[in-house]
Amino acid sequence: MADGRPDTRVLGVILLVAAVALAVTPFAARPFLRWAQHGVDAVSAGSVVGSFFSALALFAVPVTALGAAAPFLVRLALPSVADAGKVAGRLYALSTAGSLAGTFVAALVTIPWAGTQRTLVGTAAFVALGASLLLGGAWLLVPVAVAALLAVPPPQIKSALYETESAYQYIRVVSDGHGGRELELNEGVVTHSDWRPDTVLTGHYWDLFLMLPPLLPRPPRSLLVIGNAGGTIGRAYGRFYPGVAVDGVEIDPKLNEVARRWFGAGDNPRMRLIAADGRPYLERTKKRYDLIVVDAYRQPYVPFYLATGEFFRLAREHLNPGGAIALNVAATPHDRRLSEAIGTTLLTAFPRAWRWRALRFNDVLFALREPVSKAELERRADRAPGKVALLLPLFYSRLQPVHPSGTPLTDDRAPVEWLTDRMILEQVRRGGSYDEPALPTAPELVRGVP
């Protein structure tokens, strides 16, 4: 098209299409995101597939149109073939500079300050301005009309008690319908923290980490949580293990504010909230811990650098004698390749590792600094306090030793995204649904239990 009709007005029309499509995107996103939110029976796999196709549908037109503009610019700016290299080089240099500026300004300035919707609309207004200058006449009113959309308040995808955008993600606090609160991030298909006014137990995977202290040779005095979110684990430790000092590390400082305001992080006076990335924090700190819990997710992926042999050796260096590390690892009923890969990698830094398959979609992997037998772990588990002891039947029946399988993950090669994608696609292919039963510690199941 650029060679057939090298006309500035054609380029103007292409940019105008891109501008209009980009301006419409945040408003058209609502039905698409609602569909992605429900996914396939509200399972994480369905949400991931729905999110992919939603993003593809939402951005296909503006991305394609903007991509088509580059050949036009080269063709229109080219006086002769002899200048082709010089013209193309200048245009691509400008394009690279614009890409860098757009990436950093959007991520660090406009999205935290104005939000995603107004960032997209503002970008569309600038693209429309360029199109109108090429088209002239009444088209000069188009960027004004697009800019007017900046006054439209962002819609809520679902009703929320609180919502905000941070430099890292979209944060939303919603009611669970029973007086409690749930923390949702981005698409909102997974609950990242849970709070109830009358109990610290949730009936979900967070409760499983309450079984760790009895497994140590002596009562722990310190706990590091990497991926603290709203502080659900640390709050529960304040109730069942009040002698444990908790350091909750969360990469997003805004989530620490949410944890204090909405999820009772202040209920445990011994929990300290730290805004940092987990692995760099471990590399900088000189502290040692009795327990390290890794629960860091950008759904559905675990950051690869928190699942490698190098990271586990670093974590081991920060464990006191007799200490342990534990990880929440995503799984499906028919595919635990990610869990097996991370378990195999754990064995490169620890003498033995264990997999607790208490749930269908979550495994807890853990390892102690010193080797310990299954019989000894079961004997120690008997010390579980209060309602935590309700997890003992699951612990006895579903605890398995990890055996090496495949190649350990390293900083050089850790295909956790690939393993996760295969797991998701297999779950979708099987048509599986998310029907995770509550743990025996679910508040609705333990009322009246001392």
Side-chain angles (χ1 to χ4, degrees):
M1 187 184 294
D3 291 327
R5 294 190 61 188
D7 187 343
T8 56
R9 293 186 64 83
V10 175
L11 176 59
V13 170
I14 292 174
L15 292 176
L16 189 64
V17 169
V20 172
L22 196 59
V24 169
T25 294
F27 304 99
R30 190 173 186 180
F32 280 94
L33 293 180
R34 185 180 292 114
W35 170 59
Q37 171 195 325
H38 292 294
V40 180
D41 292 333
V43 65
S44 296
S47 70
V48 170
V49 175
S51 297
F52 171 78
F53 285 108
S54 295
L56 188 64
L58 288 168
F59 289 100
V61 173
V63 168
T64 301
L66 290 172
F72 264 95
L73 289 170
V74 173
R75 179 66 180 84
L76 292 172
L78 189 64
S80 69
V81 177
D83 297 322
K86 180 171 62 177
V87 170
R90 288 175 178 173
L91 285 175
Y92 281 111
L94 286 172
S95 175
T96 301
S99 296
L100 290 171
T103 299
F104 287 107
V105 169
L108 302 178
V109 180
T110 61
I111 289 178
W113 174 61
T116 303
Q117 175 178 302
R118 291 190 171 99
T119 296
L120 287 171
V121 171
T123 303
F126 279 109
V127 175
L129 178 61
S132 67
L133 292 176
L134 292 172
L135 295 171
W139 295 108
L140 293 171
L141 295 176
V142 174
V144 177
V146 173
L149 295 175
L150 292 170
V152 179
Q156 292 185 346
I157 294 175
K158 63 163 70 172
S159 59
L161 301 173
Y162 171 82
E163 60 181 344
T164 189
E165 285 185 273
S166 73
Y168 293 90
Q169 55 212 335
Y170 182 59
I171 301 169
R172 183 167 53 249
V173 179
V174 300
S175 171
D176 67 357
H178 305 284
R181 301 172 192 143
E182 296 176 347
L183 174 64
E184 297 180 349
L185 304 177
N186 299 319
E187 293 92 344
V189 295
V190 175
T191 299
H192 290 259
S193 287
D194 202 345
W195 176 86
R196 309 243 181 147
D198 54 348
T199 180
V200 297
L201 295 173
T202 65
H204 302 299
Y205 78 87
W206 301 286
D207 297 353
L208 301 176
F209 292 108
L210 295 172
M211 279 296 301
L212 295 175
L215 305 182
L216 305 187
R218 61 178 182 276
R221 293 179 295 178
S222 58
L223 163 68
L224 170 65
V225 181
I226 295 177
N228 191 56
T232 300
I233 296 173
R235 181 171 177 254
Y237 267 69
R239 162 64 177 82
F240 289 100
Y241 307 104
V244 176
V246 180
D247 283 350
V249 172
E250 173 55 52
I251 193 172
D252 191 344
K254 181 64 71 172
L255 278 182
N256 287 339
E257 299 176 18
V258 172
R260 293 187 183 96
R261 178 180 175 186
W262 296 99
F263 290 91
D267 294 352
N268 183 356
R270 303 205 66 193
M271 178 162 61
R272 183 169 67 116
L273 303 185
I274 302 168
D277 197 348
R279 183 163 168 177
Y281 169 80
L282 266 186
E283 290 172 342
R284 292 192 303 266
T285 187
K286 295 181 179 179
K287 291 187 66 173
R288 289 176 176 264
Y289 297 90
D290 295 315
L291 281 170
I292 295 177
V293 168
V294 181
D295 187 25
Y297 271 91
R298 187 172 295 274
Q299 288 294 337
Y301 305 108
V302 59
F304 83 91
Y305 57 89
L306 298 180
T308 64
E310 291 88 344
F311 169 71
F312 292 138
R313 286 189 286 275
L314 174 67
R316 192 176 193 275
E317 293 171 1
H318 286 80
L319 284 175
N320 291 319
I325 184 173
L327 302 93
N328 170 37
V329 180
T332 67
H334 306 286
D335 191 334
R336 280 180 153 78
R337 276 175 287 192
L338 178 62
S339 178
E340 291 169 1
I342 296 178
T344 296
T345 308
L346 262 179
L347 291 172
T348 66
F350 294 87
R352 298 198 72 177
W354 302 88
R355 177 179 295 106
W356 185 14
R357 299 177 58 174
L359 295 166
R360 300 176 71 237
F361 291 91
N362 296 84
D363 284 352
V364 170
L365 294 176
F366 67 91
L368 281 74
R369 271 196 58 163
E370 288 74 34
V372 60
S373 68
K374 184 177 181 182
E376 176 62 15
L377 286 175
E378 291 177 346
R379 186 189 68 78
R380 294 178 182 179
D382 286 337
R383 301 179 295 193
K387 295 176 182 178
V388 178
L390 296 171
L391 296 170
L392 285 175
L394 278 177
F395 186 79
Y396 297 146
S397 62
R398 300 188 185 179
L399 181 66
Q400 303 171 343
V402 172
H403 300 290
S405 175
T407 305
L409 306 177
T410 66
D411 285 351
D412 181 64
R413 183 179 181 276
V416 293
E417 291 88 356
W418 179 73
L419 291 169
T420 305
D421 289 340
R422 289 190 62 180
M423 179 174 65
I424 291 169
L425 292 173
E426 176 64 17
Q427 179 70 5
V428 172
R429 185 188 68 80
R430 289 175 176 269
S433 62
Y434 186 79
D435 54 348
E436 188 78 87
L439 290 169
T441 49
E444 59 270 18
L445 300 177
V446 299
R447 289 190 180 91
V449 177

